[in-house]
Amino acid sequence: MRIGVLGTGVVGRTIAGKLRELGHEVLVGSRSAGEDAVPFEKAAAHGELVFNCTNGNSSLEALSAAGEKHLAGKVLVDVANALDFSQGSPPVVGLGEGGSVGELIQREFPEAKVVKALNTVNANVMVDPRVVPGEHDLFISGNDAEAKTRVAGLLQSFGWPADRILDLGDITAARGQEAYVALWVQLMGVVGGATFNIHVVHG
Amino acid sequence: MRIGVLGTGVVGRTIAGKLRELGHEVLVGSRSAGEDAVPFEKAAAHGELVFNCTNGNSSLEALSAAGEKHLAGKVLVDVANALDFSQGSPPVVGLGEGGSVGELIQREFPEAKVVKALNTVNANVMVDPRVVPGEHDLFISGNDAEAKTRVAGLLQSFGWPADRILDLGDITAARGQEAYVALWVQLMGVVGGATFNIHVVHG
């Protein structure tokens, strides 16, 4: 598949690498193209499916640069988190208005099929869940059922078992996925690293 | 031990019931005393240790009514969550300022030894973790190490194994504990009930 990955941070590069390994044709987009990245717009236009791996605090700008017409009708996998370290650590997580980056993107780009996914684990876990032993879970949400099915398929190709991909519902559930990251930051201190995840346990 | 439980909701009543079962002398406090509750002040004065089981949006008022002098020097277990359903469901979780109820209480009542705990599970799980099968985790945070040790001991008497009580650090970690509840609300929909918890998995 032709896939556009927006963002050249660790998350964008890790996901792009995995997608290429799986045989997809990937273009990575950045604000200032160069080396192995193209402008946001070119990456988005290239993709049949687009990953948003930009910083959640500037995702709207990045997606505007990518261009609404290059996102319309496409599955947009939103991996972004908005972390504000300006007041020190632990960071303030979220947009401070009770919403989420995922909802905001869906509102601003109504023709994109936004699926929130992968934002609750470190980049190395995203693309190889077996680095964390045993059962552990990934969350997806979005308004378009077919888009979620396609993303779940892609996640399975990353190694996520189908029954460990929990569909939380429509895109408002992105609030929960993004808010959890405030706990994730704390758990990183307890675990002593970022290679961990949570498993939902019930009877 | 003499324990004051502030709040007469399901959480307060469930915790008070468990504490009595364990042989503690418990007084439950409420805004408007009556039936089996006394005024906040009387419950706080009675307790060598105090549980805050009030709604996080009005915890400061409740604790002010309880009286600073009746909290000073005591362990104050803060179980509160601030959920705002005024804009519908899912609720807005937290105080909307990037902080947490736990931090706010510690700031306003500096002589209390605030320990955030139990707010990440349903009341039935709080007092009987075995209702959820297998391994799953509880989080505590607070500035006073000895206070956390005492609370961890009390939690063990509720049935929480010592190695499943994860100390996240000082009270700023309450942000993570409280933010997680936004995900908890979503997971309740997936699980189809409130009797569940998460387990932190790592290598």
Side-chain angles (χ1 to χ4, degrees):
Chain A
M1 195 183 352
R2 283 180 287 106
I3 298 179
V5 175
L6 309 182
T8 53
V10 174
V11 172
R13 294 195 178 278
T14 303
I15 287 177
K18 181 69 177 189
L19 290 168
R20 284 181 179 132
E21 192 186 305
L22 292 168
H24 299 288
E25 297 165 58
V26 180
L27 280 186
V28 175
S30 71
R31 183 181 319 274
S32 50
E35 294 194 25
D36 50 355
V38 300
F40 283 135
E41 190 177 14
K42 192 169 175 190
H46 164 81
E48 300 162 59
L49 180 148
V50 177
F51 276 86
N52 174 36
C53 303
T54 64
N55 181 316
N57 291 304
S58 57
S59 287
L60 283 189
E61 281 172 68
L63 292 167
S64 294
E68 195 167 356
K69 68 178 174 193
H70 297 309
L71 300 171
K74 295 181 183 175
V75 175
L76 176 57
V77 186
D78 176 33
V79 187
N81 285 308
L83 300 184
D84 175 5
F85 284 91
S86 67
Q87 292 164 59
S89 188
V92 175
V93 173
L95 299 169
E97 48 180 49
S100 61
V101 177
E103 287 168 281
L104 192 61
I105 292 173
Q106 185 62 83
R107 199 180 313 136
E108 296 295 315
F109 299 90
E111 291 183 70
K113 297 168 181 172
V114 179
V115 178
K116 188 88 202 182
L118 290 168
N119 72 301
T120 55
V121 290
N122 200 54
N124 67 324
V125 182
M126 292 180 190
V127 300
D128 187 7
R130 281 156 293 218
V131 298
V132 176
E135 292 202 317
H136 52 96
D137 304 329
L138 198 66
F139 312 108
I140 64 173
S141 65
N143 298 340
D144 188 294
E146 200 183 317
K148 285 192 280 193
T149 302
R150 285 185 66 188
V151 173
L154 204 52
L155 295 172
Q156 286 173 61
S157 75
F158 285 9
W160 289 94
D163 63 350
R164 302 269 53 87
I165 301 169
L166 307 184
D167 183 348
L168 300 181
D170 69 31
I171 195 65
T172 60
R175 280 180 220 178
Q177 292 165 276
E178 296 180 26
Y180 160 75
V181 176
L183 180 61
W184 185 93
V185 169
Q186 300 296 339
L187 292 174
M188 193 169 56
V190 174
V191 170
T195 305
F196 69 91
N197 194 11
I198 55 170
H199 178 41
V200 180
V201 190
H202 58 97
Chain B
M1 194 180 355
R2 282 179 287 105
I3 299 179
V5 175
L6 310 182
T8 53
V10 174
V11 172
R13 294 196 179 277
T14 303
I15 287 178
K18 181 68 176 188
L19 290 168
R20 284 180 180 133
E21 192 187 304
L22 291 168
H24 298 289
E25 297 165 58
V26 179
L27 281 186
V28 175
S30 72
R31 184 180 319 274
S32 50
E35 293 193 29
D36 51 356
V38 300
F40 282 136
E41 191 177 13
K42 192 170 175 189
H46 164 80
E48 301 162 58
L49 180 148
V50 178
F51 276 85
N52 173 36
C53 302
T54 64
N55 182 317
N57 290 306
S58 57
S59 287
L60 283 189
E61 281 172 69
L63 292 168
S64 295
E68 196 167 354
K69 67 178 175 194
H70 296 308
L71 301 171
K74 295 180 182 175
V75 175
L76 176 59
V77 187
D78 176 35
V79 188
N81 285 308
L83 300 183
D84 174 6
F85 284 90
S86 66
Q87 292 165 59
S89 189
V92 175
V93 173
L95 299 169
E97 48 180 49
S100 61
V101 178
E103 288 168 281
L104 192 60
I105 292 173
Q106 185 62 83
R107 200 180 313 137
E108 296 295 315
F109 298 90
E111 291 183 70
K113 296 168 182 173
V114 179
V115 177
K116 188 86 200 182
L118 290 168
N119 72 300
T120 55
V121 290
N122 200 54
N124 66 326
V125 182
M126 291 180 191
V127 300
D128 187 8
R130 281 156 292 218
V131 296
V132 176
E135 292 202 316
H136 52 97
D137 304 328
L138 198 66
F139 311 109
I140 64 171
S141 65
N143 297 341
D144 188 294
E146 200 184 317
K148 285 193 281 193
T149 302
R150 285 184 67 187
V151 172
L154 203 53
L155 295 172
Q156 286 174 59
S157 75
F158 285 9
W160 289 94
D163 63 349
R164 302 270 53 88
I165 301 169
L166 307 184
D167 183 349
L168 299 181
D170 68 32
I171 195 65
T172 61
R175 281 180 220 178
Q177 291 165 277
E178 296 181 26
Y180 160 74
V181 175
L183 180 61
W184 185 92
V185 168
Q186 300 295 339
L187 292 174
M188 192 169 57
V190 174
V191 170
T195 305
F196 69 89
N197 194 11
I198 55 171
H199 178 41
V200 181
V201 190
H202 59 97

